[in-house]
């Protein structure tokens, strides 16, 4: 089994009309055994930038802690929050630093940039960025997620419809993947509020 | 007669003094003053801005007060460029602690760690000491609200009320007279503004010459560092009778 599939994960981020949604599964496993059913994969960097980390959980935690370190110092020195594009570049740089002994993570970054324009991107474990206008996926369920998102995605969805779409895409994809699942965690972010919702899916 | 012991920081004089450190403190005695007061529900920091010119490009950033981490802030007196280096060092130290222990750095540990850095410049390396004194204000879950003062020698101690910079002795004795142990944050603001107005050289006190910041707990229990806006500061100055309102003739 590959090291990326050790803990199991599913992450998806989608762009809507002046908003974005990021969803993850909630399972944390050790190969085939499920250890936790409330694992948080998505973290808030600040009110307008969210980071999801799939892959090996220990590397995801350490990478997140390093990013908090860097972002806090940025906030203190620049006296403002980091833009999502800048944050994505920071993540990419941190990952490439470990080019020959990488973090076994695939990050998904989503945020609202200037003029509330939604920004999403993903990258591989050594920092190759993939910017997309519609959706990005990561994790053990990524292949199913690609298919589900491609068929369900529509441009310029309002937050409520975006929530439905991203939830359906996530739940149907993790059902086809034995290593991810046990519900879902969805964040829908608009310029005015952040809505966090828990989904109940097939609990297996 | 002590001139031959001046030039190197790393030697004592025959009387057992470190002249470079004392000269650094002289430099601070000419800088804009700052006062810190510890109250039951927060810490208040007030600073006098020395550089006030119409040509100065004012932005949101402050001249005397700096945030070190979410739960610690400091007021500065002395050479600003030296202060910038130390503030950056303090910020990085606080983040390193948080990275290692996943919790905010206790205030005293942060002050101690910065003072250890300052002390290094008085003992080895042949470099001059930093010409800055700090007033650190913060909160942690072990000791609640705290106020610390540190000077170029790397010495620090905890205070209920302290003053650094120009006229600090006069300010300190005024604080000693008027400070009460159970002072509230509002009373502390009033006391700080009153003391600063009496010890400042300038004849009239306006919000352009001052900076006011507070460290307190929000109703939800989080620590907050807030710098007072110039408008609120003007209103406070009028409210506490420290300055004449614009409409009155003097």
């Amino acid at each position: 089994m590959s090291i990326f599939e050790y803990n199991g994960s599913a992450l998806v981020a989608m762009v809507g009309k002046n908003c974005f949604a990021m969803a993850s599964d909630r399972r944390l496993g050790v190969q085939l055994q499920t250890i936790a059913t409330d694992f948080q994969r998505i973290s808030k960097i600040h009110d307008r930038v969210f980071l999801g980390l799939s892959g090996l959980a220990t590397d995801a935690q350490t990478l997140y802690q390093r990013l908090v370190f860097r972002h806090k110092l940025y906030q203190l020195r620049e006296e403002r929050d980091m833009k999502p594009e800048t944050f994505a570049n920071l993540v990419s740089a941190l990952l490439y630093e470990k080019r020959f002994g990488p973090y076994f993570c695939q990050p998904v970054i989503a945020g609202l940039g200037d003029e509330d324009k939604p920004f999403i991107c993903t990258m591989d474990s050594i920092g190759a960025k993939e910017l997309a206008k519609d959706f990005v996926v990561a994790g053990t369920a990524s292949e199913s997620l690609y298919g589900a998102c491609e068929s369900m995605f529509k441009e310029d969805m309002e937050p409520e419809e975006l929530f439905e779409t991203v939830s359906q895409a996530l739940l149907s994809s993790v059902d086809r993947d034995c290593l991810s699942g046990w519900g879902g965690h969805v964040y829908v972010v608009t310029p005015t509020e952040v809505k966090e919702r828990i989904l109940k899916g097939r609990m297996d | 007669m002590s001139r031959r012991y001046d030039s190197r920081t790393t030697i004592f004089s025959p009387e057992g003094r470190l002249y470079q450190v004392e000269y650094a403190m002289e430099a601070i005695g000419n800088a804009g003053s700052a006062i810190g007061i510890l109250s039951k529900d927060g810490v208040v920091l007030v600073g006098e801005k020395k550089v006030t010119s119409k040509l100065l490009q004012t932005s949101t950033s402050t001249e005397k007060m700096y945030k070190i981490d979410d739960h610690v802030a400091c007021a500065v007196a002395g050479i600003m460029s030296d202060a910038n280096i130390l503030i950056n060092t303090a910020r990085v130290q606080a983040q390193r602690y948080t990275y290692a222990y996943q919790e905010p750095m206790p205030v005293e540990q942060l002050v101690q760690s910065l003072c250890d850095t300052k002390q290094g410049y008085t003992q080895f390396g042949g470099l001059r000491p930093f010409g800055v004194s700090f007033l650190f204000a913060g909160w942690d879950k072990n000791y609640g609200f705290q106020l610390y003062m540190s000077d170029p020698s790397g010495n620090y101690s905890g205070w209920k009320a302290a003053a650094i910079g120009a006229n600090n002795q006069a300010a300190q004795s005024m604080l000693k007279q008027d400070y009460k142990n159970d002072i509230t944050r509002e009373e502390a603001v009033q006391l700080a503004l009153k003391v600063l107005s009496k010890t400042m050289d300038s004849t009239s006190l306006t919000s352009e010459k001052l900076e006011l910041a507070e460290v307190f707990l929000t109703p939800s229990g989080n620590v907050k560092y807030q710098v007072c806006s110039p408008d609120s500061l003007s209103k406070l100055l009028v409210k506490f009778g420290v300055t004449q309102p614009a409409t009155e003739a003097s």
Side-chain angles (χ1 to χ4, degrees):
Chain A
M1 195 189 253
S2 140
I3 188 71
F4 285 96
E5 292 162 17
Y6 188 76
N7 293 127
S9 51
L11 267 180
V12 57
M14 251 191 217
V15 166
K17 196 169 163 109
N18 290 333
C19 64
F20 68 85
M22 199 189 293
S24 75
D25 73 321
R26 307 190 76 204
R27 177 182 180 272
L28 176 74
V30 170
Q31 299 196 317
L32 300 181
Q33 185 183 24
T34 301
I35 302 290
T37 55
D38 56 359
F39 189 64
Q40 279 262 36
R41 280 205 171 80
I42 301 175
S43 322
K44 183 170 93 157
I45 299 292
H46 62 74
D47 284 330
R48 292 161 67 96
V49 169
F50 282 73
L51 170 73
L53 286 164
S54 68
L56 196 62
T58 175
D59 283 356
Q61 281 179 346
T62 302
L63 187 60
Y64 169 67
Q65 288 164 8
R66 285 192 67 194
L67 286 163
V68 165
F69 182 103
R70 298 287 296 263
H71 179 252
K72 276 261 174 81
L73 284 173
Y74 183 96
Q75 263 183 333
L76 283 167
R77 288 176 186 144
E78 302 250 345
E79 292 176 359
R80 64 184 176 92
D81 288 333
M82 228 191 234
K83 285 192 244 196
E85 297 86 352
T86 314
F87 185 72
N89 284 327
L90 175 63
V91 180
S92 173
L94 277 186
L95 290 172
Y96 196 81
E97 264 175 23
K98 305 274 182 204
R99 170 68 178 78
F100 300 108
Y103 290 113
F104 297 114
C105 295
Q106 203 185 350
V108 167
I109 294 144
L112 290 173
D114 289 334
E115 283 132 39
D116 298 336
K117 189 161 180 302
F119 168 88
I120 51 169
C121 92
T122 185
M123 51 192 84
D124 67 6
S125 56
I126 44 177
K129 275 190 298 201
E130 185 203 315
L131 305 170
K133 293 201 182 67
D134 40 18
F135 57 85
V136 290
V137 302
T140 49
S142 57
E143 280 158 356
S144 305
L145 277 165
Y146 271 124
C149 290
E150 194 69 62
S151 53
M152 296 187 201
F153 181 79
K154 285 197 324 260
E155 271 204 44
D156 285 339
M157 282 185 278
E158 294 292 331
E160 287 308 313
E161 199 192 346
L162 184 65
F163 165 68
E164 292 297 326
T165 309
V166 104
S167 307
Q168 290 296 341
L170 180 76
L171 289 177
S172 54
S173 308
V174 304
D175 284 349
R176 270 288 176 189
D177 175 23
C178 55
L179 296 173
S180 53
W182 281 94
H185 211 129
V186 188
Y187 289 84
V188 179
V189 181
T190 60
T192 46
E193 65 165 350
V194 171
K195 254 211 172 115
E196 185 187 332
R197 293 184 185 95
I198 308 275
L199 304 173
K200 187 160 192 267
R202 272 185 70 105
M203 300 309 212
D204 63 359
Chain B
M1 92 173 142
S2 54
R3 286 289 160 206
R4 53 185 124 139
Y5 303 106
D6 283 9
S7 45
R8 305 242 308 263
T9 60
T10 49
I11 53 174
F12 282 106
S13 77
E15 299 96 50
R17 293 155 71 177
L18 291 171
Y19 278 112
Q20 283 301 311
V21 173
E22 291 184 19
Y23 295 159
M25 301 207 213
E26 266 300 308
I28 296 164
N30 298 325
S33 29
I35 292 178
I37 302 184
L38 180 66
S39 75
K40 302 191 298 204
D41 52 339
V43 192
V44 174
L45 291 171
V46 183
E48 170 199 357
K49 285 203 266 206
K50 264 289 165 108
V51 195
T52 46
S53 156
K54 269 198 316 197
L55 292 176
L56 200 62
Q57 174 86 304
T58 50
S59 54
T60 47
S61 56
T62 51
E63 185 189 305
K64 303 282 292 181
M65 317 284 173
Y66 294 92
K67 188 172 164 188
I68 305 290
D69 197 356
D70 292 328
H71 64 298
V72 181
C74 69
V76 166
I79 303 175
M80 279 318 299
S81 45
D82 288 6
N84 284 333
I85 302 285
L86 285 171
I87 288 164
N88 191 48
T89 309
R91 286 173 172 168
V92 174
Q93 282 166 353
Q95 288 311 118
R96 276 214 200 105
Y97 184 98
T98 303
Y99 178 67
Y101 301 103
Q102 290 301 299
E103 58 170 43
M105 191 168 190
V107 187
E108 184 169 356
Q109 280 196 41
L110 177 62
V111 177
Q112 189 159 42
S113 142
L114 195 69
C115 285
D116 287 348
T117 307
K118 288 209 243 184
Q119 186 274 347
Y121 286 75
T122 68
Q123 195 172 24
F124 41 79
L127 304 168
R128 67 163 175 83
F130 290 98
V132 205
S133 276
F134 285 103
L135 284 173
F136 287 99
W139 182 92
D140 61 45
K141 64 181 198 291
N142 299 310
Y143 294 106
F145 289 107
Q146 298 150 72
L147 175 68
Y148 294 95
M149 176 164 79
S150 80
D151 61 28
S153 64
N155 212 9
Y156 76 91
S157 41
W159 290 85
K160 293 179 188 168
I164 52 175
N167 298 327
N168 65 330
Q169 273 159 331
Q172 195 86 27
S173 51
M174 249 184 259
L175 287 169
K176 198 156 121 178
Q177 277 180 323
D178 295 331
Y179 181 82
K180 315 188 305 270
N181 268 330
D182 52 356
I183 196 172
T184 66
R185 188 156 48 99
E186 272 194 61
E187 289 166 351
V189 171
Q190 184 175 12
L191 177 60
L193 289 173
K194 204 178 73 169
V195 171
L196 198 63
S197 73
K198 295 222 175 93
T199 58
M200 263 171 75
D201 289 333
S202 46
T203 45
S204 69
L205 207 61
T206 58
S207 64
E208 291 151 5
K209 297 199 182 121
L210 290 182
E211 264 172 30
L212 168 69
E214 297 169 77
V215 177
F216 56 95
L217 287 180
T218 61
S220 51
N222 299 321
V223 195
K224 196 155 154 69
Y225 160 74
Q226 200 167 58
V227 181
C228 203
S229 69
D231 295 324
S232 338
L233 187 54
S234 304
K235 291 202 189 89
L236 279 174
L237 288 172
V238 172
K239 180 173 156 194
F240 295 138
V242 170
T243 190
Q244 305 281 34
T247 47
E248 273 185 43
S250 51

